[in-house]
Amino acid sequence: MPTYRPPHIAPSDITPESVYLSRREWMQGAAGFGAGLLLPQAFGADAALPTFYKSRYSTSEAPNSLREVSSYNNFYEFGTDKSDPAETAASLRTEPWTVDVAGEVGRPRKFDLASLMKLAALEERIYRLRCVEGWSMVIPWVGIPLAALLKQVEPNSRGKYVEFTTLLAPEQMPGQKQRTLDWPYVEGLRIDEAMHPLTILAVGLYGKPLPKQNGAPVRLVVPWKYGFKSIKSIVKIRLLEQQPTSSWTRANPGEYGFYSNVNPEVDHPRWSQATERRIGEFSKRKTLMFNGYGDEVASLYKGMDLRRFF
Ligand SMILES: Nc1nc2c(c(=O)[nH]1)N[C@H]1C(S)=C(S)[C@@H](COP(=O)(O)O)O[C@H]1N2
Ligand SMILES: [Mo]
């Protein structure tokens, strides 16, 4: 059952009223899930985002509650338990914040968060997130297409890959004092994956700025890849000629490849990837090829052996 709705309505076709209605609906939805009480805690009392549009690039599946989205996290900079980031990420300082974009580009530039949010209309994108560990969630992100930022810096013909780096600050990120990974966390995409309209830089979720445990103030979201590709709290973006090595590939190249497309037919060496458990549900679901985004992204991998390029 395809749940992805193709984008035949441009953001400009959607009236502010529908945005307002949808926001009210989410607030009711959040309260209905019992997460209303968590709102002030997760976001801070005066948190606000500029107006944003409801994107057609959204699944019609019901989002997980705000409580689930903001209390069950992977963010090893704050510990390896799912509950650690929500408990300890308060020590992350997200202001001021700069994303430094350079490398194989004509116009290298440093963006603060305000200028980054002005690069394109903010959109809500309700995406499935499939963790390589075998669980999934549906998350209502708010963000801009990564392509809007890349176009600004004008990649040159040698810019074939994009490398992303998380903040390195052990005093704010206690997990970086442990050698769980080679810090800072690094991820990478091929330029066509990075430019794909489904790839976003998220600055919010559930209509508010990102909770720190979800990668504030800005993180990547690549919905057809395993969750670890969606790197959090980004400070640096580099356009490169050579394929970068991500932290997980460096840690274990036999288990985590560069592409990491969600693929129920290619098992992780230690477990099957055929099914997943949606957080909040009891029984398992079948994992969908490319996490259900195959109609949009399969052409990026035409002719590639996805067992070899896992
Ligand atoms: N910097 C950084 N980014 C990260 C991680 C991390 O440990 N550090 N974990 C990844 C993994 S494994 C997943 S599944 C997602 C989880 O995102 P969420 O907590 O917002 O659901 O973040 C990804 N991004
Ligand atoms: Mo993950």
Side-chain angles (χ1 to χ4, degrees):
M1 17 122 217
T3 48
Y4 174 85
R5 285 175 293 166
H8 34 65
I9 298 181
S12 54
D13 293 328
I14 300 166
T15 65
E17 188 188 20
S18 72
V19 173
Y20 169 74
L21 282 173
S22 64
R23 290 191 73 161
R24 194 187 62 192
E25 285 158 18
W26 304 328
M27 299 313 286
Q28 288 172 346
F33 281 110
L37 286 175
L38 280 182
L39 262 169
Q41 220 181 314
F43 297 117
D46 52 0
L49 277 179
T51 304
F52 51 88
Y53 297 95
K54 214 171 166 175
S55 168
R56 281 282 153 177
Y57 287 97
S58 287
T59 171
S60 56
E61 288 175 278
N64 280 90
S65 67
L66 174 58
R67 178 199 295 274
E68 289 163 336
V69 168
S70 62
S71 65
Y72 190 90
N73 302 98
N74 268 338
F75 200 170
Y76 277 22
E77 285 84 340
F78 295 100
T80 53
D81 286 355
K82 301 288 176 266
S83 56
D84 285 342
E87 286 166 14
T88 63
S91 55
L92 174 65
R93 286 196 304 272
T94 57
E95 275 171 75
W97 194 271
T98 312
V99 182
D100 178 337
V101 190
E104 299 292 352
V105 299
R107 300 167 70 97
R109 199 178 141 185
K110 291 181 174 136
F111 295 89
D112 62 24
L113 205 62
S115 54
L116 192 141
M117 286 199 283
K118 283 184 198 131
L119 290 173
L122 278 187
E123 283 180 29
E124 186 203 46
R125 301 277 187 103
I126 306 173
Y127 280 165
R128 286 179 290 275
L129 181 141
R130 168 61 155 83
C131 179
V132 73
E133 295 164 340
W135 50 268
S136 64
M137 286 204 210
V138 176
I139 303 178
W141 303 109
V142 179
I144 61 161
L146 175 62
L149 176 140
L150 293 175
K151 279 174 195 155
Q152 276 289 314
V153 297
E154 298 173 12
N156 65 37
S157 59
R158 290 180 303 278
K160 299 193 174 86
Y161 294 91
V162 188
E163 180 192 65
F164 305 83
T165 307
T166 294
L167 178 70
L168 178 65
E171 297 316 310
Q172 298 174 51
M173 298 175 137
Q176 290 180 338
K177 292 177 180 166
Q178 253 80 59
R179 302 189 55 180
T180 34
L181 284 173
D182 198 2
W183 309 111
Y185 196 104
V186 172
E187 260 307 336
L189 296 173
R190 223 170 51 188
I191 186 77
D192 56 342
E193 298 175 324
M195 295 293 286
H196 193 281
L198 284 176
T199 304
I200 61 167
L201 284 173
V203 296
L205 60 78
Y206 262 108
K208 300 280 182 122
L210 283 177
K212 291 180 177 176
Q213 57 268 38
N214 293 93
V218 55
R219 57 93 57 84
L220 186 70
V221 184
V222 194
W224 70 95
K225 292 177 180 280
Y226 290 115
F228 69 85
K229 297 295 284 184
S230 293
I231 180 174
K232 296 178 168 181
S233 305
I234 298 167
V235 292
K236 199 166 99 176
I237 299 178
R238 286 288 178 273
L239 279 282
L240 302 174
E241 186 161 18
Q242 305 295 331
Q243 182 177 298
T245 307
S246 70
S247 297
W248 284 105
T249 305
R250 188 173 305 235
N252 199 332
E255 297 192 357
Y256 307 107
F258 176 76
Y259 285 94
S260 290
N261 293 316
V262 173
N263 189 341
E265 289 157 22
V266 177
D267 289 340
H268 185 277
R270 290 185 281 138
W271 58 81
S272 163
Q273 293 291 23
T275 62
E276 67 199 56
R277 193 175 69 84
R278 177 71 46 84
I279 297 304
E281 291 181 356
F282 182 70
S283 51
K284 289 201 167 183
R285 293 169 176 254
K286 278 199 168 128
T287 288
L288 303 172
M289 188 64 197
F290 297 114
N291 203 22
Y293 300 95
D295 286 351
E296 288 67 41
V297 302
S299 62
L300 297 178
Y301 310 103
K302 227 178 111 199
M304 280 175 68
D305 177 355
L306 297 179
R307 280 182 187 279
R308 178 157 172 240
F309 297 101
F310 64 98

